[in-house]
Amino acid sequence: MASTTALTPAQANARLHELTVVDVRTPGEYASGHLPGAHNVPLDHLDAALPALRAAADRGGLLLVCASGARSAQASRRLAEQDIAAATLTGGTTAWTRLGHDTHRPVGARTPWAMDRQVRLAAGSLVLTGLLAGRRRSAARRLSAGVAGGLVLSALTNTCGMAAILAKLPHNQPRATDLEDTLAALAG
């Protein structure tokens, strides 16, 4: 099993020219701003990308990136199980941009909402719906309680089931040609 490491934004910035950067966020999040030269391979497409990621790792260092570091750490563990060494960016793109490092956006790309914003909208809408419907049918308040419980579980486990569901929506999916081009570039 390969080892997993973590790089701070300063360490990653110093080594950016020698690293192959793979952003495991959704295409919408990627379009909102990513590390220079980053390739977008959404976490739920990681298994299909294993051969290309192995080839990229064999050529040099592989750096996995997401918004906070949680999804890239999960991706790094999955790659390590396949004996592919990869580092993660501590704090993700949030820490990267907070320190003033450069980010790129695709030219002419429509910028969908970031995943955390999509989750807040969905969770808030469901809670509000449960409360309003609960005025007529008290059982509808269970919807609000379920969402609240899910948010607590999300915080305790540092995972988000709602984000996993929202990531499957069409606007959060890569176009087949984009993913194919990315995998070809990674395979080298």
Side-chain angles (χ1 to χ4, degrees), residues 53-177:
L53 292 171
R54 184 179 307 281
D58 288 345
R59 286 192 309 275
L62 191 60
L63 177 65
L64 302 176
V65 179
C66 68
S68 68
R71 286 177 282 177
S72 59
Q74 180 183 354
S76 180
R77 287 189 300 273
R78 284 172 54 189
L79 291 181
E81 291 169 358
Q82 299 298 317
D83 205 29
I84 301 171
T88 61
L89 180 63
T90 304
T93 55
T94 302
W96 178 268
T97 55
R98 185 178 48 232
L99 294 173
H101 296 302
D102 190 29
T103 58
H104 291 178
R105 288 175 178 76
V107 176
R110 185 181 59 108
T111 305
W113 288 0
M115 186 55 67
D116 66 317
R117 187 175 181 192
Q118 292 180 49
V119 168
R120 289 193 310 263
L121 175 67
S125 298
L126 289 170
V127 168
L128 187 59
T129 299
L131 291 174
L132 291 175
R135 295 177 72 189
R136 293 215 181 244
R137 306 183 120 222
S138 62
R141 291 185 186 152
R142 291 185 190 133
L143 175 63
S144 298
V147 171
L151 290 172
V152 170
L153 180 66
S154 174
L156 293 174
T157 62
N158 199 25
T159 62
C160 185
M162 188 175 292
I165 292 167
L166 292 172
K168 297 193 183 308
L169 292 176
H171 67 275
N172 285 323
Q173 292 297 308
R175 294 185 317 224
T177 55

Side-chain angles (χ1 to χ4, degrees), residues 20 23 49 139 142:
T20 299
D23 193 319
R142 291 185 190 133

